[in-house]
Amino acid sequence: MNNNSASSSEILDQLVALTSQLMSKHNHEPTENPVLTLSQKIKQQLKSGQISFDNLQEIIQHLRDSAFLSHAIHLRKYVNNPDKEIIESRIEATIQNIVQQATTSCKSNTKESFETFRSLVEVSQFAAVFTAHPTFSIANTVYTALADIASHPIDEDTRVPFFSTHRRAEAPTLKEELDLAIHAIERARNALDMFNRYLFETAQKYWPDYWTSLTPCSILLSSWVGYDTDGRTDIGWWDSLNIRLKMKELQLQRLHHQLEPIENGIDELKQRVSLALKTVKKQREQCPTNDNPDQFSDFARELIENRQDALLSSDDLIPLFDQALTQVSENYKIDLLIARAGFISHGMSLCHTHVRLNSVQIHNMARQRLGITSNPDNRSHTRTLFNTINTALENVTPIPVDFGSLITEKASASTLMMLLTQIIKHVDTKTPIRFLIAETENGYTLLVALWLARLFGIEKQIEISPLFETDNALQHGANIIEQALRSPHWRDYLRHTGKLCLQFGYSDSGRFIGQISATYQIEKLRQKIAALLNKYELTEVNLILFDTHGESMGRGGHPFSMEDRLKYLSPKKTELVFEKHGICTRQETSFQGGDGYLLFGSQAMANATISIIAKHIYNFDLDEEDPIYEESDFSADFFSTISSEMKELVKDKGYGTLLSVFGPALIDRTGSRPAVRQSDTSSSVTTIKHPRQLRAIPNNAILQQLGWCANTLQGLGTAASANPETFQEMLQHSPRFKRSLDFARHALKHSNSTVLRAIIYMLDPGIWLDRANSEDDPNLRESYLSLAKGLRRMDLWTSTQATFQRVQADNITLLSIWEEAPSMDAKEILLHAIRLTIIEEIWMLSTQIPYFSPYHDFSREALETKILSLEIPTALNVLLHVFPQAEEHVSDLYFYEPKAPRNEGAYAMDDRQIFKPIRRNFDLIREISVALIHRLHAFG
């Protein structure tokens, strides 16, 4: 920082004190807005010169860096301190639990007790799934620094590294997302190896006669980065193929490095792995980057003719591993066993593969290949649809696939399934592939997906999994599953694969029915599915429960600890229901994008995370008393009230207006997908009439930036007021209820109705008319009138004010019952107030933009609307065309005749006094947004 840093720190202290003073209920009238008052006081200090722009920038940086440190402290606490001694102690205690369970009825070093131990560690009980959800909200260097600081003890001497900005330079590309995912996965694999080392050392101690036959795989890793085509058009099937080959190469590379230090006795194994690695590298080098037929013909020859050299299954190396174990020295046996366990449990890839597409894509394929034109949503067609698809399943004859058929296929669902066929034939013949279907709301969708897998002869290797996320899917999910279970083809498919895979989404469900309500509905749905498996005599089928959630409270990530996160997603009560029916389950959870990767952002963080997961899955005590399950009427009413209130808010016109008023403009692009579901024209503003027009992550991120986490809080006051005594009792004594309300605790700490109201006041034309009426300066008066006119034309005030009243009433009710509820602190309120000051400065600068004739379809009125909506990059881009700047280097050139006057300053003053200050201020707005992300500990 420059020489202003000391004075900036003093000014910051004064502003924090002023914030606390103004926010006190005793220091302002009920009709006043202290946040708006604070914003105006900052504005006056800027105008008088008491605060310079440099001061303001440094104050924001101070607040941002303070938030960064709090983010690091939170990460450290979230994994219960990633210190080596704590991690080792946790793992040792966990493994002793396993040993105790295995030796309860039999002594150690007996075949019986070893088989019990084997059954506990050789069955996959958990999977961590790495996704590329767009939560890459801060620069990669900042992520690295954050994970590094969180990995070490933090005290008063901890130095926060200074970055001029924490923002990304641009949205991440698919390659960048993949690289970041790979780094996280590799650290997770290292952590699994560490856990397995403890397992082998313990097994060697207790079962010296049997331990070398052990192949633990209790925790798996998966990823859909590069394979998720739901809502993406930038991933070609050739890209996915290339990525899949890369993951195979990384797996072989990892095995090669693990075997390299081992001396004597494994030469044949090393040579075989080296050959495979060399072959796969060559295959990947020749993999085309588009669907060019000639290139694919050459690639197919390389892939298919050399596929045996490249290894087609982890089973191919088992005989060589067995041989090596008999020849290697005792000092290296554990190293060899660790390498074998990681290789066999993940197959021919660094991690397991998930692919994803949308149910609409499945239905479109059925229309094209089967001629089924009926709408699955039309209930009158249900019987016909199911009869038709069951007949098709009965009569389907598998057809061959080659790269030529892939190139000519146009239906996205068929293309994806054909790609999987080629991967299964030529890359990895053994490891199953998860086939996720978003927005599944009908059992017909599952049967069509099964027909498609059967058509290409790969149904035994494909794990078809519906995603239940919408309100309709959560309410009727059991009916959807039963529709499929009525088909003998689906039941046979489950028996053959031995699995029923289900995916539960927390983002869309949370934003439409409330995050706290969503988890209740998901829990009830799981219990109904357990009953269905019992009804159809399928309890021998393993149930895979994949929770797709983010790191934020609005998207299902428990805000306080990894241990609570796992318990929240997998309540003891539900585990007991499955156990009662004799159903084995596997829990899977997502680690999404930049935020999720932080839990694997350093080796210490990864070790801590994996050790907590291991402790969770090997907690054999299922007897957790919880009174919430005895109060079934209260819980049903409580959560349904939240759901009902959130639905009403979503339908409220003003709620959509609030989301679009500054909309995605407050946040940088954090992924490759657009925030809004429809394209935008150059001259019009993106108006969000319903939250469905936004994707879930930016929807939630905007609420965070507005200072009101509605998707977590709305309806909570109304629900609690129905039975406040029971509410307080459950809050004190129910672990399940308390974990749910932890989301509200965190949301309240980062929500303030006064902040939200201040933002809404900014949209009120009357505020600006009042300022114009009291202003003596004619130029300022004209600017205020111009802003009032623009806001009146946009007509934002009436609906947003009505929405605020709905939100405020529920919040007042909640706080009257929950008196110890947390609140937003002064520093966070100050960040919001500073941003309002900057927004006003941008608006006022925009009124000075000279008049111009319409540029293409872009009028002065359209420009005003863009700027009032803070769509500044678009507005400035147009202004650079309307008011072009002279080339800076023209004056330095010689044109072989006497130099003539240059009219270089025609628009230079506008650029210097208006356009650049607008850009500079807008950058500060986005920097404040990053500071708030740090304070919330997650994006979206």
Side-chain angles (χ1 to χ4, degrees):
M1 292 189 181
N2 60 31
N3 293 331
N4 288 330
S5 60
S7 61
S8 296
S9 297
E10 292 170 0
I11 294 169
L12 173 57
D13 291 340
Q14 293 166 10
L15 288 175
V16 172
L18 178 60
T19 303
S20 299
Q21 178 187 343
L22 289 172
M23 291 303 295
S24 170
K25 289 184 178 181
H26 304 294
N27 290 330
H28 64 84
E29 295 296 323
T31 55
E32 292 178 0
N33 187 284
V35 176
L36 213 53
T37 301
L38 176 60
S39 174
Q40 288 303 299
K41 287 184 179 294
I42 296 169
K43 171 190 166 184
Q44 290 162 10
Q45 291 185 44
L46 281 166
K47 187 176 180 180
S48 67
Q50 292 175 266
I51 300 178
S52 67
F53 180 86
D54 286 345
N55 287 144
L56 191 64
Q57 186 175 31
E58 289 174 2
I59 286 167
I60 292 169
Q61 289 171 343
H62 276 303
L63 290 168
R64 180 204 65 195
D65 290 350
S66 172
F68 170 92
L69 187 59
S70 75
H71 194 172
I73 291 170
H74 160 77
L75 269 175
R76 188 168 173 78
K77 288 181 178 177
Y78 200 78
V79 295
N80 194 22
N81 295 349
D83 298 331
K84 184 179 179 181
E85 296 77 13
I86 293 175
I87 294 169
E88 289 177 348
S89 175
R90 183 183 300 123
I91 291 175
E92 288 169 355
T94 297
I95 293 178
Q96 282 306 310
N97 279 346
I98 306 172
V99 171
Q100 185 176 355
Q101 191 75 7
T103 57
T104 299
S105 55
C106 302
K107 295 181 179 180
S108 62
N109 203 29
T110 63
K111 182 71 172 175
E112 292 78 10
S113 63
F114 178 73
E115 288 304 322
T116 303
F117 185 79
R118 182 201 295 276
S119 69
L120 291 170
V121 300
E122 286 194 352
V123 175
S124 301
Q125 300 187 51
F126 192 95
V129 185
F130 295 82
T131 76
H133 279 80
T135 64
F136 301 90
S137 57
I138 58 180
N140 293 341
T141 51
V142 179
Y143 275 129
T144 301
L146 194 57
D148 180 62
I149 290 180
S151 301
H152 299 90
I154 298 174
D155 54 31
E156 294 179 356
D157 296 326
T158 299
R159 183 176 175 274
V160 176
F162 177 74
F163 300 93
S164 59
T165 179
H166 283 201
R167 296 171 60 197
R168 303 187 66 87
E170 57 187 5
T173 62
L174 174 62
K175 181 183 181 304
E176 188 179 357
E177 291 172 346
L178 178 64
D179 288 344
L180 292 169
I182 286 171
H183 294 325
I185 293 165
E186 287 177 332
R187 294 187 194 102
R189 285 288 301 270
N190 294 341
L192 288 178
D193 286 351
M194 174 200 66
F195 179 69
N196 284 341
R197 181 174 294 279
Y198 279 89
L199 276 176
F200 281 119
E201 288 173 349
T202 303
Q204 184 182 30
K205 175 183 176 182
Y206 284 90
W207 295 279
D209 296 337
Y210 307 103
W211 72 283
T212 57
S213 66
L214 201 64
T215 308
C217 62
S218 53
I219 302 173
L220 302 177
L221 308 178
S222 302
S223 173
W224 74 40
V225 182
Y227 314 121
D228 174 18
T229 57
D230 175 30
R232 297 188 71 147
T233 58
D234 62 323
I235 303 177
W237 59 264
W238 47 88
D239 295 317
S240 297
L241 177 59
N242 193 303
I243 290 168
R244 182 60 186 84
L245 286 170
K246 180 173 184 175
M247 299 303 277
K248 182 174 183 178
E249 180 184 340
L250 289 170
Q251 172 74 320
L252 289 168
Q253 191 176 82
R254 182 180 185 84
L255 181 58
H256 176 78
H257 290 326
Q258 288 175 309
L259 297 177
E260 196 170 22
I262 300 177
E263 300 174 359
N264 303 323
I266 67 165
D267 289 347
E268 192 174 348
L269 176 60
K270 285 182 177 180
Q271 290 169 8
R272 186 66 186 89
V273 172
S274 295
L275 173 63
L277 179 58
K278 180 181 177 182
T279 305
V280 174
K281 281 183 177 179
K282 191 173 181 182
Q283 290 175 341
R284 197 167 78 82
E285 287 170 0
Q286 292 200 21
C287 185
T289 56
N290 55 47
D291 59 353
N292 182 286
D294 293 329
Q295 292 179 13
F296 259 103
S297 177
D298 295 337
F299 166 73
R301 179 178 181 179
E302 178 64 35
L303 179 72
I304 295 168
E305 289 187 353
N306 298 304
R307 63 183 191 150
Q308 297 296 338
D309 287 348
L311 292 176
L312 286 175
S313 167
S314 57
D315 288 349
D316 295 344
L317 290 187
I318 290 178
L320 292 177
F321 271 115
D322 291 343
Q323 176 184 315
L325 277 169
T326 64
Q327 299 173 356
V328 74
S329 70
E330 289 296 323
N331 293 339
Y332 291 113
K333 275 192 176 179
I334 287 181
D335 293 330
L336 184 60
L337 288 167
I338 289 170
R340 183 181 71 172
F343 181 71
I344 291 175
S345 61
H346 290 92
M348 302 308 300
S349 177
L350 188 65
C351 64
H352 287 262
T353 302
H354 286 197
V355 301
R356 190 170 77 137
L357 78 175
N358 195 281
S359 62
V360 174
Q361 295 167 294
I362 294 286
H363 300 158
N364 287 340
M365 181 282 304
R367 187 178 68 251
Q368 293 171 3
R369 284 188 175 263
L370 291 170
I372 300 176
T373 58
S374 299
N375 182 357
D377 296 329
N378 189 333
R379 292 186 179 181
S380 65
H381 297 161
T382 299
R383 179 173 295 182
T384 301
L385 276 173
F386 280 94
N387 286 339
T388 303
I389 191 59
N390 274 304
T391 300
L393 280 163
E394 185 71 36
N395 299 319
V396 63
T397 300
I399 61 174
V401 174
D402 69 355
F403 285 108
S405 60
L406 241 176
I407 291 169
T408 57
E409 180 59 50
K410 301 305 177 186
S412 54
S414 295
T415 297
L416 182 57
M417 197 69 81
M418 292 165 79
L419 172 64
L420 301 187
T421 304
Q422 293 299 82
I423 289 172
I424 289 165
K425 287 194 300 182
H426 306 306
V427 180
D428 187 342
T429 59
K430 180 185 177 183
T431 311
I433 299 173
R434 187 73 53 80
F435 192 86
L436 302 166
I437 308 173
E439 298 184 4
T440 301
E441 298 195 353
N442 197 302
Y444 163 78
T445 307
L446 303 179
L447 297 183
V448 173
L450 176 59
W451 177 86
L452 189 60
R454 187 172 290 183
L455 177 68
F456 298 122
I458 58 171
E459 64 176 292
K460 292 182 180 179
Q461 290 96 347
I462 297 297
E463 300 172 343
I464 299 169
S465 174
L467 166 59
F468 298 130
E469 185 167 36
T470 64
D471 179 32
N472 182 65
L474 292 180
Q475 284 192 31
H476 304 292
N479 294 334
I480 294 168
I481 294 299
E482 186 160 24
Q483 284 176 335
L485 286 174
R486 291 191 186 112
S487 168
H489 301 284
W490 183 255
R491 296 196 300 273
D492 288 344
Y493 163 73
L494 295 183
R495 290 190 179 99
H496 286 146
T497 61
K499 300 171 190 169
L500 171 59
C501 302
L502 303 174
Q503 183 184 6
F504 302 89
Y506 289 75
S507 294
D508 273 334
S509 59
R511 69 182 178 130
F512 291 130
I513 64 172
Q515 186 54 242
I516 293 173
S517 174
T519 183
Y520 174 79
Q521 289 210 23
I522 289 171
E523 184 176 4
K524 291 298 179 185
L525 174 56
R526 289 179 174 181
Q527 294 176 14
K528 291 177 182 177
I529 290 169
L532 278 175
L533 290 177
N534 186 60
K535 174 182 176 181
Y536 285 90
E537 299 180 350
L538 289 166
T539 53
E540 78 280 6
V541 169
N542 287 340
L543 187 58
I544 313 298
L545 304 170
F546 175 23
D547 292 304
T548 315
H549 60 85
E551 300 305 310
S552 71
M553 73 235 164
R555 299 184 55 241
H558 193 281
F560 297 151
S561 77
M562 188 68 194
E563 287 190 10
D564 278 321
R565 168 185 183 153
L566 297 171
K567 291 175 181 177
Y568 172 77
L569 295 170
S570 183
K572 293 291 185 186
K573 176 70 173 180
T574 306
E575 290 183 31
L576 286 169
V577 170
F578 292 133
E579 188 179 81
K580 175 185 174 183
H581 288 294
I583 299 170
C584 294
T585 63
R586 181 167 89 205
Q587 185 180 353
E588 299 187 347
T589 186
S590 60
F591 295 91
Q592 298 186 355
D595 290 340
Y597 298 171
L598 272 173
L599 291 169
F600 299 87
S602 70
Q603 195 55 59
M605 290 294 295
N607 291 348
T609 301
I610 291 296
S611 70
I612 292 170
I613 290 171
K615 176 185 176 183
H616 171 75
I617 63 176
Y618 289 118
N619 175 15
F620 299 106
D621 181 13
L622 290 177
D623 296 325
E624 181 180 69
E625 294 295 328
D626 199 321
I628 192 66
Y629 296 105
E630 303 300 321
E631 296 284 350
S632 56
D633 290 342
F634 167 79
S635 59
D637 290 345
F638 182 84
F639 293 112
S640 64
T641 299
I642 292 174
S643 175
S644 177
E645 291 293 313
M646 189 65 208
K647 288 177 188 177
E648 289 302 311
L649 179 65
V650 168
K651 289 190 293 185
D652 193 313
K653 176 187 175 184
Y655 186 60
T657 304
L658 266 178
L659 291 172
S660 66
V661 58
F662 301 133
L666 291 176
I667 50 179
D668 287 310
R669 282 277 304 277
T670 58
S672 55
R673 297 191 306 186
V676 181
R677 290 187 182 271
Q678 68 227 30
S679 60
D680 193 11
T681 62
S682 61
S683 61
S684 64
V685 168
T686 304
T687 302
I688 299 165
K689 296 181 179 179
H690 192 281
R692 287 192 187 280
Q693 293 173 248
L694 269 177
R695 298 191 185 279
I697 293 172
N699 177 118
N700 297 348
I702 290 167
L703 290 173
Q704 292 173 348
Q705 295 298 327
L706 294 177
W708 193 258
C709 302
N711 54 349
T712 307
L713 295 175
Q714 186 61 27
L716 195 53
T718 306
S721 66
N723 198 334
E725 295 81 9
T726 306
F727 172 81
Q728 291 288 357
E729 184 181 343
M730 293 300 108
L731 200 56
Q732 294 296 320
H733 302 293
S734 165
R736 176 67 171 142
F737 192 73
K738 179 183 176 296
R739 288 190 190 103
S740 295
L741 269 292
D742 284 345
F743 286 74
R745 284 188 180 89
H746 192 58
L748 285 167
K749 191 176 180 181
H750 301 285
S751 299
N752 186 289
S753 60
T754 312
V755 168
L756 180 61
R757 188 166 203 168
I759 294 170
I760 293 172
Y761 272 142
M762 294 279 285
L763 309 176
D764 180 9
I767 293 288
W768 303 98
L769 289 173
D770 289 342
R771 292 185 186 177
N773 189 46
S774 61
E775 183 56 63
D776 294 329
D777 185 321
N779 292 326
L780 288 177
R781 187 187 310 122
E782 189 61 33
S783 293
Y784 289 140
L785 287 170
S786 176
L787 293 178
K789 181 181 178 181
L791 289 167
R792 190 165 61 249
R793 184 179 64 249
M794 292 174 72
D795 191 24
L796 305 168
W797 161 252
T798 306
S799 63
T800 52
Q801 176 65 11
T803 300
F804 174 76
Q805 290 168 1
R806 178 195 293 271
V807 167
Q808 186 183 35
D810 187 75
N811 183 54
I812 292 170
T813 303
L814 176 63
L815 297 183
S816 68
I817 298 168
W818 195 5
E819 295 180 359
E820 68 275 18
S823 60
M824 187 183 289
D825 69 19
K827 285 187 176 181
E828 193 162 331
I829 292 170
L830 177 58
L831 279 167
H832 285 286
I834 292 172
R835 184 160 60 188
L836 292 178
T837 304
I838 298 171
I839 290 172
E840 180 177 340
E841 177 66 14
I842 289 175
W843 285 1
M844 293 295 284
L845 283 167
S846 73
T847 64
Q848 300 172 30
I849 296 172
Y851 174 80
F852 62 89
S853 300
Y855 176 77
H856 297 302
D857 59 346
F858 210 99
S859 65
R860 174 59 186 250
E861 186 177 282
L863 175 70
E864 289 175 352
T865 302
K866 282 281 186 188
I867 291 176
L868 288 171
S869 301
L870 291 184
E871 296 191 21
I872 303 302
T874 303
L876 289 178
N877 184 52
V878 172
L879 288 170
L880 287 176
H881 287 88
V882 175
F883 303 103
Q885 305 300 307
E887 294 288 337
E888 292 182 2
H889 69 288
V890 171
S891 293
D892 299 328
L893 297 176
Y894 177 54
F895 293 93
Y896 296 92
E897 56 184 327
K899 185 175 181 178
R902 305 284 193 259
N903 188 22
E904 295 171 295
Y907 300 122
M909 187 171 66
D910 296 329
D911 184 56
R912 185 173 62 256
Q913 296 183 355
I914 304 173
F915 305 153
K916 284 183 178 175
I918 286 177
R919 162 58 71 183
R920 196 165 63 240
N921 279 294
F922 182 70
D923 287 342
L924 287 184
I925 286 176
R926 290 276 178 92
E927 201 68 41
I928 288 172
S929 297
V930 174
L932 290 170
I933 291 167
H934 280 312
R935 291 189 68 89
L936 283 141
H937 309 147
F939 176 87

